[in-house]
Amino acid sequence: MDNLGRYDAIVLGAGVVGASTAWHLAQAGLSVALVDAEGPAAAASGASDGAVSVASKKPGPLARLATASLVYTRALAETGPLAQAYHPRPSYIFGTGPDETAAMDALIAKLDALGDAVRLRRDGGAGVLPGTGPGVERLLELTGEGHMPGYAAVAGYLSDPRIARIWPARVLGLDETDGSVTVNLGHQRLSAPRVIAALGTATPVLFPGLPVLPRAGQLFVTDRGQPGALPGALTSAAYLLAKTTNPAVLPRPPVVIDPLTTGQYLVGSTREDHADPTRVDFATLQQLMIRAAETWPALRARRVIRAFAGVRAAVSDSLPIVGLAPGSARITLATGFEGDGICLSAVIGREVARMATGMAPAADLLADLATLSPARFPSLQESVA
Ligand SMILES: Cc1cc2nc3c(=O)[nH]c(=O)nc-3n(C[C@H](O)[C@H](O)[C@H](O)COP(=O)(O)OP(=O)(O)OC[C@H]3O[C@@H](n4cnc5c(N)ncnc54)[C@H](O)[C@@H]3O)c2cc1C
């Protein structure tokens, strides 16, 4: 006997990506341990908006993967683990001025090319949604998208009792031999033939050199009112521009106003290049509040009851990192989801579980998943070799 906890698979990080991956591995009949330094949804997944949005994704692989994930999320919400987490609602994209109008035209073309998962229902002026303010010149109404708080999605995936939960337990190191990977937790060691590292911003601590950078975001939540006044999320077209342009040169800061089922509004979020989830400042939030109230004046009658920040894991080329870790045959990385991880988590968890068990990815996603491979950073492969 030794004191090694043995599993078929070990997932590191109990954010939404790790939890989804653990759930899919358990569904495949594997014994799975899910390890977290603090607990479930302790980092970005517990401090984010939860837009499951195709509209906001950069055209190309991310938009196609988001579409697949939206469709799969809806299926998992019907009778599966996301039943209490995901709820469908319309989404509204608004804009002012030539840059935002052009971004909205590009969005319509992108959605047409992606099939019918998300449809344009109306394209008009402020009259599309009574109650909007003077900051809204053009407004699109989309159907098909929804909202899913990250912590609720994690709770849904953890409803599978076969997942062994190991927290608080910080991974201090990984040792890969011919047949297995040993996970060093200090007081305890675990071993499995396959390990999935879904560590968000902490990825470079265990995998030095990976270009994962912190990008913080502040949000605020209002008190409760009558639910339904705003039927769906109101997102500025500046958000679409932020995906392709340096946010520092945007004409107006992006804002998303998401009505929660509780009758509260969740309003976010900034993009700041630091890693401190405790940094919440009034000047920045005031800008967000002014912008939100210009867009949805009913917000002026609400009180802000909580402000908080989360830290996204961004990658230098703005694509997530999914695939075998450089120089490894047994450790799969799933990180760098920036502002898209809640939306992508269903499909990424499913596909990472397939990769880790040696199955081919879904045929229609093969090429897009290949673009996320860590092998796209050749200097990293050389430095590890
Ligand atoms: C302000 C803000 C708004 C956002 N809005 C949206 C949105 O509307 N839609 C959307 O799709 N996405 C959104 N996101 C992005 C989304 O929240 C993230 O992409 C997603 O939560 C990432 O999940 P993850 O599982 O990869 O990482 P995380 O949730 O960061 O999980 C990583 C986990 O690893 C653990 N960990 C770290 N180091 C160790 C270690 N050494 N040992 C053990 N465990 C460790 C941490 O404790 C943590 O629980 C937003 C993010 C922010 C910050």
Side-chain angles (χ1 to χ4, degrees), residues 56 76 140 153 181 215 217 223 232 243 271 315 328 342 364 366 368 372 376:
S56 64
L76 291 180
L140 310 180
V181 182
R215 186 153 299 150
D223 57 359
K243 298 279 172 174
R271 292 184 129 68
V315 180
S328 169
I342 308 293
D364 57 330
L366 194 64
D368 289 328
L372 310 186
R376 71 184 189 271

Side-chain angles (χ1 to χ4, degrees), residues 15-17 36-37 43-45 48-49 51 171 202 310 312 338-343:
V16 70
V17 173
D36 200 281
S45 300
S48 59
D49 189 356
V171 181
R312 311 168 181 94
E338 225 264 351
D340 304 324
I342 308 293
C343 173

Side-chain angles (χ1 to χ4, degrees), residues 274-344:
H274 67 81
D276 183 358
T278 65
R279 213 195 283 178
V280 175
D281 69 281
F282 182 71
T284 305
L285 284 167
Q286 191 183 30
Q287 289 301 313
L288 206 53
M289 287 174 201
I290 291 169
R291 181 98 171 94
E294 278 170 10
T295 308
W296 190 246
L299 275 168
R300 295 205 173 97
R302 295 300 191 84
R303 283 180 310 148
V304 172
I305 59 164
R306 194 160 79 91
F308 59 98
V311 185
R312 311 168 181 94
V315 180
S316 52
D317 63 2
S318 305
L319 282 177
I321 298 175
V322 179
L324 276 181
S328 169
R330 301 187 170 276
I331 304 172
T332 303
L333 299 172
T335 186
F337 296 98
E338 225 264 351
D340 304 324
I342 308 293
C343 173
L344 293 170

Side-chain angles (χ1 to χ4, degrees), residues 204-293:
V205 177
L206 288 169
F207 302 92
L210 275 183
V212 177
L213 310 159
R215 186 153 299 150
Q218 300 185 43
L219 305 121
F220 67 85
V221 183
T222 70
D223 57 359
R224 291 178 186 222
Q226 193 61 35
L230 174 62
L234 250 174
T235 301
S236 66
Y239 228 97
L240 313 178
L241 291 170
K243 298 279 172 174
T244 49
T245 316
N246 175 359
V249 299
L250 291 177
R252 276 166 293 278
V255 67
V256 180
I257 305 167
D258 225 313
L260 303 180
T261 49
T262 53
Q264 294 166 287
Y265 292 102
L266 174 61
V267 181
S269 54
T270 60
R271 292 184 129 68
E272 302 167 43
D273 290 332
H274 67 81
D276 183 358
T278 65
R279 213 195 283 178
V280 175
D281 69 281
F282 182 71
T284 305
L285 284 167
Q286 191 183 30
Q287 289 301 313
L288 206 53
M289 287 174 201
I290 291 169
R291 181 98 171 94

Side-chain angles (χ1 to χ4, degrees), residues 68-299:
S69 202
L70 168 66
V71 171
Y72 186 44
T73 299
R74 294 197 300 227
L76 291 180
E78 264 173 36
T79 49
L82 301 180
Q84 304 300 319
Y86 175 82
H87 79 274
R89 44 112 175 100
S91 20
Y92 300 91
I93 312 287
F94 68 92
T96 309
D99 291 349
E100 293 182 4
T101 300
M104 293 162 88
D105 288 335
L107 168 64
I108 294 170
K110 179 183 84 174
L111 292 177
D112 274 349
L114 288 169
D116 63 0
V118 180
R119 285 170 185 262
L120 175 66
R121 188 149 171 260
R122 283 186 289 176
D123 178 0
V128 167
L129 180 64
T132 51
V136 176
E137 269 176 18
R138 183 181 177 191
L139 193 58
L140 310 180
E141 183 181 20
L142 310 178
T143 57
E145 300 188 332
H147 188 252
M148 180 166 74
Y151 57 83
V154 170
Y157 289 123
L158 289 180
S159 63
D160 188 326
R162 293 171 296 181
I163 301 170
R165 301 124 199 259
I166 299 181
W167 51 70
R170 184 170 296 278
V171 181
L172 301 176
L174 299 169
D175 184 18
E176 185 171 346
T177 57
D178 280 350
S180 67
V181 182
T182 302
V183 178
N184 178 5
L185 302 177
H187 60 294
Q188 189 186 2
R189 286 181 313 140
L190 309 176
S191 167
R194 45 188 83 79
V195 163
I196 295 89
L199 295 163
T201 55
T203 306
V205 177
L206 288 169
F207 302 92
L210 275 183
V212 177
L213 310 159
R215 186 153 299 150
Q218 300 185 43
L219 305 121
F220 67 85
V221 183
T222 70
D223 57 359
R224 291 178 186 222
Q226 193 61 35
L230 174 62
L234 250 174
T235 301
S236 66
Y239 228 97
L240 313 178
L241 291 170
K243 298 279 172 174
T244 49
T245 316
N246 175 359
V249 299
L250 291 177
R252 276 166 293 278
V255 67
V256 180
I257 305 167
D258 225 313
L260 303 180
T261 49
T262 53
Q264 294 166 287
Y265 292 102
L266 174 61
V267 181
S269 54
T270 60
R271 292 184 129 68
E272 302 167 43
D273 290 332
H274 67 81
D276 183 358
T278 65
R279 213 195 283 178
V280 175
D281 69 281
F282 182 71
T284 305
L285 284 167
Q286 191 183 30
Q287 289 301 313
L288 206 53
M289 287 174 201
I290 291 169
R291 181 98 171 94
E294 278 170 10
T295 308
W296 190 246
L299 275 168

